[in-house]
Amino acid sequence: MAEVSINQARKFYGTFEAVKGIDVDVADGEFVVLVGPSGCGKSTLLRMIAGLEDVSGGEIAIAKTVVNDLPPKDRGIAMVFQNYALYPHMSVRANMSYSLRLKRVPKPEINERVNRAAAILGLDDLLDRHPKQLSGGQRQRVAMGRAIVREPKVFLFDEPLSNLDAALRVQMRSEIKALHQRLGTTIIYVTHDQVEAMTMADKIVVMRDGEIEQIGEPLDLYDHPANRFVAGFIGSPAMNFMQGTVDDGVFRTSDGVEMARVGSSEATTLGVRPEHLALSDEGVPLTVEMIEPTGAETQVAGKIGSQPIVGVFRERISAWPGDMLHVRLDHEHVHLFDPGGLRVARSRSSAD
Amino acid sequence: MSSDNRPSAGVPIGAVGKHAVLIFFTALSIVPVLMILVNSFKSRRAIFSDPVAFPGPETFSLIGYHTVFVRSNFMDYYVNSLTVTVVSLVLILILATMIAFALAEYEFTGNKLLAMFFLLGIILPVRLGSVSMLQLMVSLKLVNTLAALICVYTAMGMPLAVFILTQFMRQVPREIKDAARIDGANEYRVFLLTLPTIRPAIATVAILTMIPVWNDLWFPLILAPAPETQTVTLGAASFLGQFLSDWNAVLAALSLSAGPILALYLIFSRQFLSGLTAGAVK
Ligand SMILES: Nc1ncnc2c1ncn2[C@@H]1O[C@H](COP(=O)(O)OP(=O)(O)O)[C@@H](O)[C@H]1O
Ligand SMILES: [Mg+2]
């Protein structure tokens, strides 16, 4: 049983508030990803959970025990860092067994636990090497091995894949997911990469400027972003936002282009994902500026009126910069935001 | 063949210039040492008649070394010098690494002030305090003991050592220390874990602090001039008056005194080569 509950957690650096009263509940065995732009306080929050930063306010509990005043080693956590942070002068085996040796665990048990972790991660042949003799991916695996050996209640990951190249990142992503399914341990994982968040998480916490913007399951955030920030952050290529007003149940851009029927609404921003635009013979006129075919789909960048828009289509399109296409907005997938950026619910009548 | 990227036979002009400068400065520092060594194996007359010549069958003489070993307590001086240098060095390294760790790692009131205080020690020449140091040693009854020298040299070497090591300690990735704390290491162990990552800096500090200590003439002269506490430098200097400036002995003593310091230098400089931090963090 190792749920983590964070209650009004705050962190001040001097007068600067890096974490502004955050509430998160992580269920036992859950894979939670903290995601947000660089500098939003993800690492700070994670380090507070680990006990590496003092908590300026609020409460952090692991397995129902408040841990605010416990040192890191007594919190039942293990952490994996972006830059691996291996002990350079120790072999892989010594790196992995360090915590157990400090705890004076009997030698045979140490060996057994190290060997088991090494087998899980495919490190068996590397146990006698030193960190400098390993590749980036292998080093990150050793860092994970060092965490596994401690048999923690909660794993904390701080951007563990950011230093790896793209191909390795995808591979390690699935390895970490498989590891989670195998061990069933609670994981709190920090990343600035929304793709990582979407593919790995049971639950995503989107943060900005020390505050939580939204908590939810990946597809929940994709389908029902609570505000413009989350809408723009989740999904790639990013959601298009058109400025305009609603008149007679119709959203018109500031250039007067009729976008979609949305019902009566206070909305001043209409959001639509590139993949939710469809080509049609008539509809919203789109002036093409650039076409990028990837084979499976075609990405079109252009303008509706004077506002930029990106569309992704399954069809192959033969058009040139300057040409005019017509697109239809899938009204199921139109998002509306008020002037403050908050999501505006659409009235039912908009569906007709 | 064209993929062979070794330098081609035709060396560019720039490289010639660089090498000329390097060779010049190398010669500038090696030639005097070589002269001392060469002349220490010659008879007194040969030293003066042709100082640049190598010892030949007629001019070869070990009289200098004979004087040094038979007519003075040179082995005792050797032991004294080694004791003072090694003990001071060990003390400096232990204390300075710990101070540097504290200054770099912990935020406490007075942290900056303390760092400035050590910086001040680099700027002020320690010899300015010679008189009061002598008075202090007299009242501590430490005059004519090696302990007096060790105390002074440890204090003397500390500021620069702390300064350099603090800079390097700051560069130790904090994640290594964090990982160790999570793994259950107490602060002493965290400290010990940082040492391998700054090994080259420690070696640099060792060399920088040990050479002035070994070569120093001033403090042995005023704090420990007694025959049983004399150091090599002081012993060598004593040949300058004691035997009507016995140049053979002086040169022999100087040649001999370079040995241990050279050995220590070789030991420490090897640490530069092993880039041990590689692989610790990205
Ligand atoms: N030790 C510190 N002292 C002062 N400010 C800090 C410190 N650590 C982090 N910050 C600030 O707190 C904010 C959040 O940092 P961090 O949690 O590292 O962001 P990220 O989401 O990129 O991991 C940033 O604005 C950063 O500048
Ligand atoms: Mg971070």
Side-chain angles (χ1 to χ4, degrees):
Chain A
M1 292 295 277
E3 52 283 289
V4 177
S5 89
I6 301 165
N7 195 352
Q8 281 300 304
R10 281 173 198 284
K11 178 69 192 179
F12 283 94
Y13 290 113
T15 55
F16 173 71
E17 192 171 14
V19 174
K20 301 172 180 166
I22 276 186
D23 294 304
V24 182
D25 280 307
V26 181
D28 183 31
E30 203 170 21
F31 194 134
V32 170
V33 173
L34 305 179
V35 69
S38 182
C40 71
K42 312 177 295 285
S43 297
T44 305
L45 182 60
L46 199 70
R47 293 170 59 82
M48 285 159 75
I49 300 170
L52 298 168
E53 299 281 355
D54 294 332
V55 177
S56 313
E59 228 174 52
I60 294 176
I62 298 175
K64 300 208 162 68
T65 313
V66 175
V67 296
N68 283 29
D69 297 321
L70 283 184
K73 68 180 165 80
D74 297 329
R75 295 189 178 200
I77 52 105
M79 189 155 169
V80 177
F81 298 90
Q82 175 176 0
N83 61 12
Y84 323 135
L86 301 178
Y87 311 129
H89 57 296
M90 294 186 195
S91 68
V92 168
R93 180 183 288 282
N95 260 283
M96 286 169 65
S97 62
Y98 186 64
S99 62
L100 302 183
R101 285 183 282 135
L102 287 183
K103 265 199 275 182
R104 306 198 184 287
V105 173
K107 255 231 169 76
E109 193 189 333
I110 293 183
N111 281 334
E112 195 203 311
R113 277 161 79 170
V114 170
N115 290 341
R116 204 179 329 137
I120 292 176
L121 293 164
L123 292 170
D124 318 66
D125 298 334
L126 307 176
L127 284 174
D128 295 321
R129 299 225 193 141
H130 276 69
K132 67 176 169 204
Q133 299 165 312
L134 302 175
S135 71
Q138 290 169 332
R139 284 177 202 169
Q140 197 51 282
R141 252 187 226 123
V142 174
M144 278 159 56
R146 189 170 63 180
I148 291 175
V149 161
R150 304 191 56 217
E151 297 176 358
K153 290 184 250 174
V154 181
F155 283 108
L156 306 176
F157 287 87
D158 192 354
E159 310 219 8
L161 307 184
S162 298
N163 279 352
L164 303 177
D165 60 55
L168 202 52
R169 201 146 57 206
V170 173
Q171 184 196 335
M172 291 294 286
R173 204 157 77 193
S174 39
E175 280 188 31
I176 293 178
K177 242 184 123 164
L179 188 72
H180 176 243
Q181 269 150 20
R182 173 169 187 164
L183 300 177
T185 313
T186 312
I187 292 184
I188 303 179
Y189 185 108
V190 161
T191 179
H192 65 268
D193 179 355
Q194 57 92 20
V195 178
E196 245 171 61
M198 292 293 283
T199 50
M200 299 175 87
D202 293 329
K203 186 160 92 184
I204 295 180
V205 179
V206 183
M207 290 178 64
R208 175 168 66 154
D209 291 341
E211 284 172 305
I212 291 181
E213 294 287 321
Q214 191 174 1
I215 301 182
E217 289 171 21
L219 293 182
D220 209 27
L221 298 189
Y222 179 85
D223 290 335
H224 307 287
N227 54 46
R228 209 185 133 157
F229 174 78
V230 176
F233 191 79
I234 301 286
S236 164
M239 186 185 283
N240 298 294
F241 296 108
M242 315 298 290
Q243 307 305 320
T245 45
V246 179
D247 262 332
D248 287 339
V250 175
F251 187 97
R252 283 192 180 78
T253 67
S254 44
D255 305 307
V257 183
E258 199 173 302
M259 294 294 291
R261 294 195 66 81
V262 295
S264 64
S265 164
E266 297 292 294
T268 56
T269 303
L270 176 148
V272 61
R273 294 192 184 279
E275 55 271 35
H276 294 146
L277 295 177
L279 289 176
S280 67
D281 294 334
E282 53 193 43
V284 185
L286 185 160
T287 316
V288 175
E289 288 184 336
M290 192 170 65
I291 293 207
E292 291 179 338
T294 61
E297 48 195 29
T298 311
Q299 186 167 325
V300 177
K303 286 219 162 109
I304 290 180
S306 63
Q307 301 189 32
I309 188 150
V310 172
V312 172
F313 305 98
R314 305 301 310 237
E315 298 91 338
R316 302 208 165 167
I317 301 172
S318 54
W320 295 96
D323 288 358
M324 183 85 80
L325 298 175
H326 288 274
V327 293
R328 203 162 27 76
L329 274 60
D330 193 345
H331 63 247
E332 281 287 296
H333 293 116
V334 164
H335 306 269
L336 295 172
F337 303 98
D338 68 15
L342 286 181
R343 180 185 189 80
V344 179
R346 289 197 340 242
S347 54
R348 285 186 180 270
S349 61
S350 68
D352 59 342
Chain B
M1 272 188 245
S2 56
S3 68
D4 191 346
N5 51 10
R6 274 176 294 170
S8 55
V11 184
I13 299 294
V16 173
K18 263 184 227 163
H19 278 87
V21 171
L22 290 176
I23 289 168
F24 174 73
F25 280 106
T26 310
L28 208 61
S29 49
I30 285 184
V31 165
V33 180
L34 217 59
M35 295 272 289
I36 291 174
L37 193 64
V38 164
N39 284 306
S40 71
F41 289 105
K42 297 200 302 204
S43 65
R44 185 179 168 83
R45 173 184 293 180
I47 294 174
F48 285 104
S49 58
D50 192 356
V52 257
F54 280 88
E58 291 106 70
T59 55
F60 181 80
S61 158
L62 285 176
I63 179 72
Y65 291 90
H66 186 262
T67 315
V68 165
F69 282 114
V70 177
R71 291 168 59 190
S72 79
N73 303 317
F74 202 76
M75 281 324 283
D76 294 347
Y77 304 162
Y78 236 91
V79 173
N80 287 343
S81 269
L82 264 181
T83 311
V84 168
T85 307
V86 170
V87 175
S88 307
L89 191 60
V90 169
L91 283 175
I92 289 171
L93 289 183
I94 291 175
L95 294 172
T97 46
M98 294 183 105
I99 294 170
F101 181 77
L103 287 178
E105 182 70 7
Y106 304 126
E107 281 171 19
F108 53 91
T109 35
N111 180 318
K112 293 246 156 55
L113 209 69
L114 204 59
M116 289 298 289
F117 176 70
F118 280 107
L119 209 59
L120 213 63
I122 302 179
I123 299 162
L124 296 177
V126 68
R127 283 175 183 74
L128 281 182
S130 297
V131 174
S132 44
M133 260 186 251
L134 182 57
Q135 287 168 340
L136 183 68
M137 291 307 167
V138 169
S139 44
L140 288 173
K141 301 212 175 6
L142 283 178
V143 174
N144 280 329
T145 63
L146 296 182
L149 293 177
I150 289 168
C151 288
V152 171
Y153 289 141
T154 305
M156 190 172 88
M158 201 67 86
L160 187 64
V162 168
F163 178 72
I164 294 177
L165 291 172
T166 307
Q167 304 307 313
F168 278 84
M169 278 289 189
R170 282 192 217 286
Q171 285 165 28
V172 177
R174 86 167 163 184
E175 286 83 1
I176 290 186
K177 295 173 267 188
D178 288 341
R181 291 194 178 106
I182 291 176
D183 273 350
N186 59 25
E187 290 304 301
Y188 288 103
R189 285 191 184 277
V190 176
F191 164 70
L192 290 177
L193 269 180
T194 60
L195 294 185
T197 61
I198 59 161
R199 230 165 65 168
I202 295 177
T204 311
V205 166
I207 290 171
L208 281 179
T209 51
M210 119 194 131
I211 290 173
V213 171
W214 180 271
N215 287 341
D216 190 41
L217 181 62
W218 181 258
F219 287 112
L221 196 60
I222 62 168
L223 295 179
E228 61 276 11
T229 55
Q230 277 190 13
T231 59
V232 168
T233 341
L234 192 52
S238 67
F239 291 117
L240 283 168
Q242 195 178 350
F243 307 106
L244 287 169
S245 288
D246 186 336
W247 287 107
N248 299 83
V250 171
L251 293 176
L254 287 178
S255 303
L256 286 171
S257 77
I261 203 76
L262 213 61
L264 284 175
Y265 176 82
L266 287 177
I267 292 171
F268 288 122
S269 61
R270 284 184 55 180
Q271 303 298 321
F272 293 126
L273 304 176
S274 49
L276 214 102
T277 16
V281 295
K282 186 192 142 69

